[in-house]
C-alpha cells in the first residue's frame, strides 16, 4: 500500500518535471524569438552556442537537484530523459541556425535560383574563389578551437585534435562514406 | 539499453551501407529507416512488457537524441571542409600550399555540384544547370530560415 502511494507520488512528480521542462524549453525559445535575435550584441556562433550550453548546464543542475530530492528510484532515468529532451531541442536549433547561416551548398543553390539557369563553368569559377577563402577561414577556426597548430609554415594536429579526428574517422568508416568536402 | 540500441542501429547502418542493394539509398534516409524500425520495435516490446511509463518516455527521448547526434556527426563528416582537412592532417603534417593542392577549390565546387545533382536538387545539361522543384523548395525554406534567424550577408 505504502509502495503504491510512493509510486503514484513519484509519477506525479515526474509528470510535473516533464511539463515544467517543456514550458522551460518553450520560454527559452520565445526569449530568443522575441528579444535575442533582434539584438546586435547577441549575434554569432559563440553567443548562440553559449546561450544553449548555459541553458543545458543550468537546466540539468536544477533537474538533478529536484529529481534526487523527490524521486527515490527513478531520478537517474528521469534526469537523462529530460536532458535528452533539451539536447534534441538545442541540437535541432543549432543545426538549423548554422545551415541557414552559410551552408556552401545552399549558397550554390541560391545562386542558381537567382539566375534561373546557370552556366556550370562560370558557377565553378565564381565559387572556387569562395573555396580558397573558405579553406583559409576553416584553418583559422581550427586553430582557434585548438585542433591544429601552425608553426614554421606547417599545419599539424594537436594531441587533442588527434583524438577528435580519430573519432571522426571512425564515423566515416561505419557508413562507408567518402568525404568530399 | 537505449545506448546499446543506438549502437546497434549504427552497426546495422554500417552493414547496410556496404550492401550493393542499399548503395543507391541516401545514407541519411537509410539510417532514418533503420533507426525508426528499431525504435518502433523497441517501443512495442517495452510497452508490451512493462506497459506505458515515464521510463519509456525517457528512453525514447534518449534514443531520439543519440540518433540525431549520430546523423549530425556523420553529415558533418560527409561535406565538411574542416573535417576533410583534419583527416588529411591525421596522415601527415601539411603546408598551406599542400592543403590547397589537395583541395583544389574548383574540384571541391564540382564535387558539390555533382552531389547536389545526385540528390536531385539540381538538374539540367552538363553545361547549364537549373534547380529542380525540390531544389526550389529547399532554397525557399532556407531563405525563410535566414530571415527568421536574421542572418546578415
Amino acid at each position: 500500500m505504502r509502495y503504491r502511494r510512493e509510486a503514484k507520488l513519484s509519477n506525479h512528480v515526474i509528470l510535473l518535471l516533464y511539463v515544467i521542462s517543456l514550458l522551460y524549453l518553450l520560454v527559452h525559445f520565445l526569449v530568443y524569438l522575441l528579444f535575442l535575435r533582434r539584438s546586435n550584441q547577441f549575434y554569432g556562433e559563440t553567443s548562440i552556442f553559449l546561450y544553449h550550453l548555459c541553458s543545458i548546464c543550468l537546466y540539468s543542475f536544477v533537474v538533478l537537484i529536484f529529481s534526487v530530492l523527490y524521486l527515490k528510484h527513478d531520478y537517474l532515468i528521469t534526469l537523462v530523459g529530460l536532458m535528452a529532451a533539451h539536447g534534441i531541442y538545442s541540437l535541432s536549433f543549432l543545426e538549423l541556425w548554422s545551415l541557414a547561416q552559410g551552408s556552401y551548398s545552399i549558397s550554390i543553390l541560391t545562386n542558381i535560383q537567382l539566375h534561373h539557369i546557370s552556366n556550370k563553368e562560370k558557377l565553378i569559377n565564381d565559387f572556387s574563389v569562395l573555396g580558397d577563402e573558405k579553406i583559409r577561414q576553416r584553418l583559422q577556426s581550427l586553430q582557434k578551437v585548438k585542433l591544429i597548430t601552425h608553426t614554421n609554415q606547417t599545419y599539424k594536429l594537436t594531441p587533442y585534435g588527434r583524438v577528435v579526428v580519430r573519432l571522426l574517422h571512425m564515423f566515416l568508416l561505419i557508413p562507408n562514406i567518402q568525404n568530399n568536402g | 539499453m537505449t545506448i546499446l540500441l543506438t549502437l546497434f542501429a549504427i552497426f546495422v547502418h554500417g552493414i547496410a551501407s556496404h550492401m550493393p542493394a542499399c548503395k543507391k539509398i541516401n545514407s541519411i534516409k537509410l539510417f532514418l529507416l533503420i533507426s525508426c524500425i528499431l525504435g518502433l520495435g523497441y517501443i512495442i516490446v517495452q510497452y508490451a512488457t512493462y506497459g506505458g511509463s515515464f521510463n519509456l518516455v525517457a528512453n525514447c527521448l534518449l534514443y531520439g537524441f543519440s540518433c540525431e547526434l549520430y546523423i549530425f556527426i556523420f553529415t558533418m563528416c560527409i561535406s565538411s571542409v574542416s573535417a576533410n582537412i583534419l583527416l588529411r592532417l591525421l596522415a601527415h603534417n601539411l603546408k598551406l600550399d599542400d592543403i590547397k593542392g589537395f583541395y583544389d577549390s574548383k574540384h571541391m565546387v564540382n564535387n558539390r555540384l555533382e552531389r547536389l545533382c545526385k540528390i536531385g536538387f539540381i538538374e539540367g545539361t552538363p553545361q547549364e544547370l537549373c534547380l529542380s522543384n525540390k531544389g526550389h523548395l529547399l532554397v525557399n525554406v532556407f531563405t525563410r530560415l535566414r530571415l527568421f534567424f536574421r542572418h546578415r550577408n
Side-chain angles (χ1 to χ4, degrees):
Chain A
M1 188 72 180
R2 189 185 162 196
Y3 176 77
R4 273 199 207 148
R5 214 179 322 131
E6 276 181 5
K8 205 175 173 182
L9 182 66
S10 181
N11 280 342
H12 285 315
V13 169
I14 294 172
L15 178 62
L16 186 65
L17 272 175
Y18 273 103
V19 169
I20 292 173
S21 296
L22 274 173
L23 287 172
Y24 169 76
L25 293 179
L26 186 62
V27 166
H28 186 269
F29 179 70
L30 286 173
V31 165
Y32 171 79
L33 181 72
L34 298 172
F35 305 108
L36 298 178
R37 72 180 177 133
R38 295 166 204 270
S39 161
N40 284 330
Q41 282 80 35
F42 191 87
Y43 181 77
E45 286 171 347
T46 312
S47 308
I48 294 284
F49 180 69
L50 284 174
Y51 180 57
H52 282 267
L53 182 65
C54 294
S55 170
I56 288 176
C57 293
L58 177 69
Y59 170 91
S60 304
F61 180 71
V62 169
V63 167
L64 174 66
I65 298 297
F66 203 83
S67 306
V68 167
L69 286 176
Y70 295 104
L71 298 172
K72 284 186 183 166
H73 306 288
D74 297 323
Y75 74 91
L76 191 60
I77 185 68
T78 306
L79 172 68
V80 166
L82 290 171
M83 281 175 69
H86 198 314
I88 290 170
Y89 157 68
S90 291
L91 196 56
S92 305
F93 183 101
L94 291 170
E95 276 188 54
L96 284 173
W97 189 94
S98 67
L99 274 175
Q101 185 190 30
S103 155
Y104 201 48
S105 298
I106 299 296
S107 305
I108 291 172
L109 292 172
T110 306
N111 186 282
I112 297 174
Q113 190 188 52
L114 209 62
H115 296 104
H116 298 291
I117 293 175
S118 289
N119 179 271
K120 189 178 177 182
E121 200 64 39
K122 186 175 182 304
L123 196 66
I124 291 174
N125 285 335
D126 289 346
F127 276 88
S128 66
V129 171
L130 285 176
D132 281 339
E133 185 51 35
K134 199 176 172 76
I135 290 169
R136 247 187 296 274
Q137 280 175 358
R138 287 295 183 267
L139 287 168
Q140 278 173 0
S141 302
L142 291 171
Q143 281 180 267
K144 209 170 160 185
V145 295
K146 309 226 188 299
L147 286 172
I148 65 175
T149 57
H150 183 219
T151 47
N152 299 329
Q153 300 183 345
T154 303
Y155 289 95
K156 62 179 185 178
L157 292 172
T158 60
Y160 162 66
R162 204 161 281 277
V163 170
V164 169
V165 178
R166 286 211 164 99
L167 281 170
L168 276 179
H169 192 233
M170 194 177 68
F171 275 107
L172 274 183
L173 286 176
I174 294 168
N176 190 29
I177 285 170
Q178 300 296 323
N179 176 278
N180 290 318
Chain B
M1 181 69 189
T2 311
I3 300 296
L4 284 175
L5 184 67
T6 311
L7 291 173
F8 182 66
I10 293 169
F11 174 73
V12 172
H13 180 229
I15 301 283
S17 301
H18 288 78
M19 290 166 63
C22 296
K23 279 190 179 170
K24 289 178 187 175
I25 307 172
N26 176 270
S27 270
I28 300 167
K29 285 182 187 168
L30 184 60
F31 181 73
L32 281 173
L33 182 67
I34 291 167
S35 59
C36 285
I37 291 171
L38 288 174
L40 206 60
Y42 175 71
I43 291 171
I44 292 169
V45 166
Q46 287 288 309
Y47 189 81
T49 311
Y50 302 109
S53 70
F54 286 112
N55 283 358
L56 180 59
V57 172
N59 282 323
C60 290
L61 285 169
L62 181 60
Y63 181 65
F65 173 67
S66 52
C67 288
E68 190 182 1
L69 188 62
Y70 173 66
I71 291 174
F72 168 72
I73 291 172
F74 93 70
T75 51
M76 185 185 68
C77 290
I78 291 171
S79 57
S80 166
V81 171
S82 304
N84 194 21
I85 291 172
L86 288 172
L87 287 164
R88 290 193 187 279
L89 286 172
L90 187 65
H92 39 75
N93 301 338
L94 296 165
K95 295 190 188 303
L96 180 62
D97 288 340
D98 295 330
I99 294 171
K100 282 185 180 175
F102 276 128
Y103 215 9
D104 177 62
S105 41
K106 287 190 180 180
H107 180 63
M108 182 172 77
V109 178
N110 198 40
N111 275 347
R112 210 49 89 89
L113 286 172
E114 279 175 11
R115 196 182 308 140
L116 291 169
C117 281
K118 197 176 165 189
I119 301 171
F121 292 130
I122 297 177
E123 54 193 22
T125 64
Q127 286 79 38
E128 286 187 339
L129 304 170
C130 61
L131 290 190
S132 62
N133 290 337
K134 204 166 143 184
H136 278 293
L137 180 64
L138 184 72
V139 171
N140 291 339
V141 165
F142 275 95
T143 303
R144 283 185 171 75
L145 277 176
R146 272 188 77 86
L147 289 170
F148 174 78
F149 288 117
R150 300 197 172 212
H151 285 311
R152 296 151 203 177
N153 287 323

